[in-house]
Amino acid sequence: MDCKEIQALLIDYLDHRLDAASTTRVTQHLGACGDCTREAEELRLLLIAMQNTVQETPPAALRESFDTMLQSELNMQTTANIIEEFHPAPKTPGRLFALPLSSPVWKVAAAVILLAGGMAIGRNLQPKSQPQALAGVVIDSLRKELREMKEGLMLNMIDDESASQRIKAVSYAEEMTSPDQQVIDVLMNTLNHDKNPNVRLAALYSLARFADRRSVRDSLVNSLATQTEPIIQVVLINLLAEKRETRAIAPIRNIMTNKKTLKEVKDAARQSLKVF
């Protein structure tokens, strides 16, 4: 089974709803695949956060909100079809554009942006403008607005009292291809100071996607010296070892010699030093 097939089974795997054969295959794959292991851990944390979330009774206006959302979705689909007529998609798997977010709220927001962008461009089009240029500008505008909205949501939710909301906030960073420094700083502050270890771990997983940046690795090396949560220490040590970040050697050795460090963490630290 490949990673895509494994990831499709992770929720049932974590809920213990797979048959014995499938459970064995997933377990074996996770033992050999770091990306899928991280995906499974993130799902596990999210499921825990969802279980701890208090259930709320839907408001009386829920039906009206749903109808509005449904109409917006239909508007977005209609607009996408119009663009497709002017800018046909290549005859290969995939679509003209894809929204990576499944939340209905994002779909409503995307619909509004797409329609507004299309109308604004239409008013300024010259008779000889190329349809392909129209589609390209609309798509670029849509991507920019989505990125800004995700950043805005993250920054607004990161101080929420609910740990599950803060986990959701840092997860938005994983959908950003090139977050600005403000987003990185928020993730680092969460990693170093959030009171909930699950939120700090989620922030670390999000930062791992951008560890190729020198500034991010610098911050992670500095963070290693301050971390005391065993799971975070292990993940951070392994990440820096994977990146061959030699500046992490000194703080890793300090962790090994610290009497308060758990044996499992010392073992992970000792193993990581072999890759430098």
Side-chain angles (χ1 to χ4, degrees):
M1 301 176 75
D2 59 24
C3 291
K4 185 175 182 180
E5 293 173 321
I6 291 295
Q7 291 174 7
L9 297 175
L10 284 179
I11 292 181
D12 288 337
Y13 174 77
L14 294 172
D15 282 342
H16 306 289
R17 292 187 295 181
L18 294 179
D19 57 56
S22 296
T23 298
T24 299
R25 287 196 295 270
V26 174
T27 301
Q28 291 174 344
H29 183 89
L30 292 180
C33 179
D35 289 340
C36 289
T37 298
R38 285 192 291 272
E39 181 77 13
E41 178 63 15
E42 291 169 5
L43 280 175
R44 185 184 70 80
L45 293 174
L46 181 58
L47 291 174
I48 292 174
M50 291 172 63
Q51 291 172 358
N52 294 333
T53 300
V54 178
Q55 296 294 325
E56 298 182 2
T57 303
L62 179 61
R63 179 66 188 182
E64 180 179 353
S65 298
F66 174 78
D67 290 340
T68 300
M69 181 177 62
L70 179 60
Q71 185 59 52
S72 297
E73 174 71 8
L74 292 174
N75 291 343
M76 183 176 68
Q77 184 61 51
T78 300
T79 305
N81 290 340
I82 293 173
I83 293 178
E84 179 68 19
E85 291 181 5
F86 288 101
H87 189 74
K91 294 183 179 180
T92 56
R95 292 171 294 176
L96 178 58
F97 61 92
L99 296 177
L101 305 175
S102 58
S103 168
V105 176
W106 282 111
K107 293 182 179 179
V108 174
V112 173
I113 296 166
L114 186 55
L115 291 174
M119 289 186 293
I121 294 168
R123 288 195 297 267
N124 294 285
L125 276 178
Q126 298 298 322
K128 295 183 180 180
S129 296
Q130 294 295 324
Q132 184 173 356
L134 165 62
V137 173
V138 170
I139 294 169
D140 289 343
S141 176
L142 174 61
R143 288 171 176 165
K144 178 181 178 182
E145 293 293 338
L146 285 175
R147 184 181 67 253
E148 291 176 352
M149 282 193 297
K150 284 185 284 187
E151 291 180 359
L153 277 174
M154 175 189 171
L155 297 176
N156 287 333
M157 294 169 59
I158 198 64
D159 293 324
D160 196 282
E161 286 297 320
S162 168
S164 63
Q165 288 296 95
R166 299 200 303 278
I167 289 176
K168 185 184 297 183
V170 299
S171 72
Y172 285 136
E174 298 188 14
E175 299 159 3
M176 304 176 191
T177 56
S178 183
D180 59 25
Q181 189 58 43
Q182 183 181 17
V183 171
I184 297 297
D185 290 344
V186 167
L187 290 174
M188 286 304 313
N189 184 68
T190 302
L191 169 62
N192 292 329
H193 302 295
D194 196 277
K195 59 187 178 182
N196 188 297
N198 289 336
V199 179
R200 297 203 301 274
L201 184 61
L204 177 54
Y205 280 133
S206 292
L207 284 164
R209 294 191 65 249
F210 315 113
D212 287 336
R213 296 187 187 182
R214 177 63 179 266
S215 61
V216 173
R217 294 200 306 277
D218 289 344
S219 297
L220 291 175
V221 170
N222 293 333
S223 177
L224 182 57
T226 67
Q227 297 298 333
T228 58
E229 189 69 29
I231 182 62
I232 295 178
Q233 288 178 315
V234 171
V235 173
L236 191 47
I237 287 170
N238 290 338
L239 172 60
L240 292 171
E242 179 184 343
K243 296 300 179 181
R244 302 295 196 276
E245 182 51 69
T246 56
R247 289 169 299 164
I249 293 177
I252 290 175
R253 285 176 174 166
N254 290 338
I255 288 176
M256 292 173 57
T257 58
N258 191 324
K259 295 181 179 180
K260 296 182 180 180
T261 302
L262 293 182
K263 177 182 181 300
E264 291 76 9
V265 178
K266 290 183 179 181
D267 291 342
R270 188 175 298 105
Q271 188 67 27
S272 72
L273 291 177
K274 296 179 181 179
V275 307
F276 289 103

